[in-house]
Amino acid sequence: GTGMANPWLWLVAVLAAGSYADQSQLNVRGTLLAKCDRSAVHDPRYPTTGYMRPVKDLQNKCTAVNEDMGSHYVCVNLPAATVPTTGDTFSPFWTKTGQASTPQNAASWPKPGPWCICMWAFASMLDQHPEFVNDLDCEKVSPHLDSIGWVAPHLNPTGNEWLDD
C-alpha cells in the first residue's frame, strides 16, 4: 500500500495545487470543453452553473481558473429524488456528500441535472459511491481530473462511458 488512508484526497490535493488557466477550455479528451448545460432544467434559483457563470461566454462551463479555490472542474448529472413529505425535487448528491443536512434542505440547493461540482465533492462521492462515476460527462469535464492519470485508464476510448474496474 501507499500508506495513504484515502487516495482520492491525494487526487484532490494534486489537482488543486496547480495552475490550470491555460487549458481551461479543454475537456478530458483534449477537445473543446462542452457546456454543462442547465437550459433544460427548471431551476429559477440556479439557472446556470460553473465558477465563471457571471461571465456570459463561460456560463455552464466547468472551466479551470486559478481564482476557483473550490476547483469546480467536474460536470455531473446530479441524480434526482423526491422529498417524501413535501414532494419537492432534490438531488441526493447534496445529502450524500454532507453538503445538505436533510432532503428538505437539499431541495433549496441546485436541482437535479447538469452541475459543475468541486473536486472535493467528486472525491468524497466517488469514495463512498463508486457508481457515481457514471454521472460524469467526459465532454464537459476539465482535463485536470486526469492530472494523475485517473481518467485515461477508466474511459472507453470509443464512447462517453466509463470502463468497469
Side-chain angles (χ1 to χ4, degrees):
T2 62
M4 295 180 354
N6 184 342
W8 293 111
L9 293 179
W10 184 77
L11 166 71
V12 170
V14 168
L15 294 173
S19 168
Y20 306 115
D22 59 328
Q23 296 180 10
S24 67
Q25 298 303 308
L26 298 178
N27 62 35
V28 294
R29 297 182 186 276
T31 59
L32 191 61
L33 184 68
K35 286 188 172 191
C36 191
D37 193 3
R38 289 185 62 78
S39 62
V41 177
H42 178 68
D43 190 349
R45 289 188 70 188
Y46 299 98
T48 60
T49 187
Y51 180 80
M52 297 299 293
R53 65 182 171 260
V55 179
K56 188 168 178 59
D57 290 344
L58 297 177
Q59 288 177 350
N60 293 316
K61 286 199 172 183
C62 303
T63 56
V65 294
N66 289 334
E67 297 81 12
D68 181 5
M69 301 309 273
S71 305
H72 295 86
Y73 307 151
V74 182
C75 181
V76 298
N77 188 27
L78 294 176
T82 303
V83 179
T85 57
T86 65
D88 291 337
T89 302
F90 77 102
S91 177
F93 169 81
W94 303 118
T95 53
K96 288 180 179 182
T97 58
Q99 295 179 75
S101 57
T102 65
Q104 292 82 359
N105 180 258
S108 68
W109 287 62
K111 300 292 183 198
W115 191 254
C116 297
I117 64 170
C118 74
M119 297 302 300
W120 293 274
F122 171 75
S124 173
M125 190 67 161
L126 192 59
D127 191 42
Q128 297 170 31
H129 304 277
E131 72 280 4
F132 183 62
V133 73
N134 297 321
D135 292 324
L136 291 175
D137 189 331
C138 303
E139 303 301 320
K140 303 168 187 173
V141 174
S142 170
H144 310 303
L145 182 59
D146 202 25
S147 293
I148 62 168
W150 186 86
V151 171
H154 295 87
L155 180 63
N156 179 341
T158 62
N160 197 29
E161 301 94 25
W162 298 94
L163 300 172
D164 294 329
D165 286 333

